[in-house]
Amino acid sequence: MEENKIFTISVYSENNVGLLNRISGIFLKRHINILSLNVSESEIENVSRFIIVVKTTEKWVQNIVGQIEKQIEVIKAFYHIDEETIFLESAIFKIESSLLFDERQIQNIIKESHSEIVTVSRDFFVISKSGKRSEINDLYNKLKPFGIMQFARSGRISVSKEKMEVTTLLEELES
C-alpha cells in the first residue's frame, strides 16, 4: 500500500471567479483535506499561482493534478515533495506590551527564534516569524504561557528547486 506523504501542488492559472471553488471541490470529492492554501500573483504577468499542500499518496496527487489541469483557466499544474522545494510560512503574534518589558524571557524567545518585532504600542506588540511550520509551532508554544492576544499564520509559499517549464509553455502557446 502506498504511503501518505506531504505534497505541494502548484497551479498556474488565469484568475477567474469560481476557480478556487472548483479546485476545492476536486479535493472534497476525494475526501482529501487541504492543509494549506495560498493564492498570489506569479512570476508571469496576469497569471495567478495557487500553492496547495495536501497529505495523500502519489497516486492520488497525480489524479488530483490531472483533474485540476482539466479546468479551462488552468495553464499548468505541478506537484512536488518537500525535498524538491524551498518553502516557508509566516506568522504574526500579538502580545500584551507590558510583557516585553516585564518578562525578560520574552526578549530571549524573540532573539532565539530569529523573529522580529514589527510594531509596539502602549497596549500590545506584534512579532513576525517566517520559517518552517515546526519553527512557528515552537515559537507559539514558547509564547503561549505568557498569553497570546491574537495569532495568524499564512499558507505555505514555495518555489521548486528544479526549473518549472511554465514560462516556456506560455511562450509556446502565444506563438
Side-chain angles (χ1 to χ4, degrees):
M1 195 168 119
E2 215 181 336
E3 174 185 345
N4 280 349
K5 288 192 265 185
I6 300 285
F7 291 95
T8 300
I9 301 170
S10 296
V11 180
Y12 286 85
S13 73
E14 298 171 25
N15 191 3
N16 287 1
V17 172
L19 179 60
L20 176 59
N21 198 22
R22 291 196 308 280
I23 287 175
S24 66
I26 292 168
F27 293 92
L28 179 64
K29 283 183 210 161
R30 288 160 183 77
H31 302 283
I32 295 173
N33 189 34
I34 295 173
L35 302 176
S36 171
L37 171 67
N38 186 54
V39 184
S40 69
E41 298 169 337
S42 74
E43 65 276 16
I44 305 156
E45 194 175 337
N46 298 320
V47 173
S48 293
R49 183 170 176 199
F50 291 68
I51 298 174
I52 306 163
V53 180
V54 293
K55 186 173 186 177
T56 189
T57 64
E58 186 156 11
K59 180 182 177 205
W60 274 109
V61 84
Q62 288 171 344
N63 185 302
I64 289 165
V65 165
Q67 290 297 308
I68 289 171
E69 285 193 326
K70 288 180 181 174
Q71 302 300 311
I72 197 159
E73 307 91 335
V74 172
I75 297 159
K76 187 73 179 151
F78 303 88
Y79 71 91
H80 296 94
I81 58 173
D82 284 357
E83 292 75 22
E84 298 171 329
T85 63
I86 298 157
F87 59 92
L88 293 172
E89 292 182 10
S90 292
I92 54 175
F93 302 82
K94 182 178 172 185
I95 311 283
E96 189 180 315
S97 277
S98 64
L99 293 170
L100 186 58
F101 306 105
D102 299 341
E103 291 288 344
R104 185 99 182 114
Q105 198 176 349
I106 291 272
Q107 293 177 27
N108 292 336
I109 291 169
I110 293 167
K111 187 176 180 182
E112 289 166 7
S113 67
H114 303 288
S115 49
E116 64 179 273
I117 298 172
V118 291
T119 190
V120 178
S121 77
R122 183 181 309 278
D123 301 321
F124 65 87
F125 68 101
V126 175
I127 301 169
S128 169
K129 169 73 180 151
S130 290
K132 303 270 190 247
R133 179 169 281 243
S134 59
E135 296 169 338
I136 292 170
N137 287 343
D138 186 47
L139 179 58
Y140 181 91
N141 291 331
K142 287 178 178 171
L143 291 172
K144 189 168 175 55
F146 297 98
I148 298 171
M149 297 169 76
Q150 289 182 41
F151 169 74
R153 178 198 320 254
S154 73
R156 177 180 284 195
I157 55 173
S158 170
V159 293
S160 65
K161 291 180 181 176
E162 294 295 315
K163 182 178 178 184
M164 286 204 288
E165 298 298 331
V166 72
T167 306
T168 308
L169 180 71
L170 279 171
E171 288 167 355
E172 289 171 8
L173 290 173
E174 289 174 357
S175 52

